[in-house]
């Protein structure tokens, strides 16, 4: 059976949501239509990302990363060589800085932030016991 893991959400993402809402309020109090539309679109994208960022491990051994309107990323779990804990603040399919780097053929493939990292790793290793953990998982 497929298992879906939601993305962990960091404090900084909640701050972005709050600032966007404040920006929307100020835009709607003003008279500039363009500012209203831009802020509303930003708020919708940020909220959509909050509700639609997840990672699925399928029964047939695929890892699927989904983040809002962005293209899904898929990889066969058998192709994953390493997993490493990270706090890299680069753009990724993760809403928290408590991240995992997924390596494919020894190269970084994707950063993700599943809520329950230990269950996520157990399930990955169930499909591919050869996955190396580069650092202790916290």
């Amino acid at each position: 059976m497929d298992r879906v893991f939601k993305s962990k959400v960091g404090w900084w993402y909640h701050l972005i949501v709050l600032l966007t809402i404040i920006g929307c309020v100020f835009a709607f109090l003003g008279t500039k239509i363009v500012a209203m539309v831009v802020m509303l679109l930003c708020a919708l994208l940020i909220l959509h990302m909050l509700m639609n960022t997840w990672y699925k491990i399928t029964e047939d051994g695929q890892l699927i990363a989904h983040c809002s309107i962005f293209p899904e990323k898929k990889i066969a779990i058998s192709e994953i060589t390493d997993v490493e804990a990270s706090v890299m603040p680069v753009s990724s399919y993760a809403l928290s800085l408590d991240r995992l780097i997924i390596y494919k053929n020894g190269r970084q493939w994707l950063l993700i932030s599943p809520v329950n990292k230990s269950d996520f790793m157990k399930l990955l290793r169930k499909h591919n016991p050869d996955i190396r953990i580069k650092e202790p998982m916290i």
Side-chain angles (χ1 to χ4, degrees), residues 50-109:
L50 180 65
M51 293 196 255
N52 290 292
T53 301
W54 47 263
Y55 320 105
K56 183 189 293 185
I57 296 177
T58 65
E59 196 170 324
D60 63 345
Q62 295 282 317
L63 171 60
I64 302 168
H66 180 88
C67 183
S68 186
I69 62 171
F70 303 104
E72 280 188 349
K73 297 203 175 214
K74 297 179 184 181
I75 186 173
I77 295 172
S78 61
E79 295 179 18
I80 297 173
T81 56
D82 304 282
V83 175
E84 179 180 9
S86 174
V87 292
M88 281 198 303
V90 296
S91 178
S92 68
Y93 284 40
L95 304 179
S96 169
L97 292 178
D98 184 14
R99 299 172 173 193
L100 297 175
I101 305 172
I102 305 292
Y103 288 85
K104 176 182 176 180
N105 300 323
R107 297 182 61 168
Q108 288 184 10
W109 179 71

Side-chain angles (χ1 to χ4, degrees), residues 84-134:
E84 179 180 9
S86 174
V87 292
M88 281 198 303
V90 296
S91 178
S92 68
Y93 284 40
L95 304 179
S96 169
L97 292 178
D98 184 14
R99 299 172 173 193
L100 297 175
I101 305 172
I102 305 292
Y103 288 85
K104 176 182 176 180
N105 300 323
R107 297 182 61 168
Q108 288 184 10
W109 179 71
L110 184 65
L111 281 100
I112 60 174
S113 62
V115 169
N116 191 335
K117 290 193 317 186
S118 61
D119 282 354
F120 183 82
M121 283 303 304
K122 283 178 191 172
L123 198 51
L124 276 184
R125 293 189 93 188
K126 181 179 175 186
H127 286 279
N128 179 1
D130 296 329
I131 294 174
R132 291 183 307 260
I133 299 173
K134 288 192 166 190

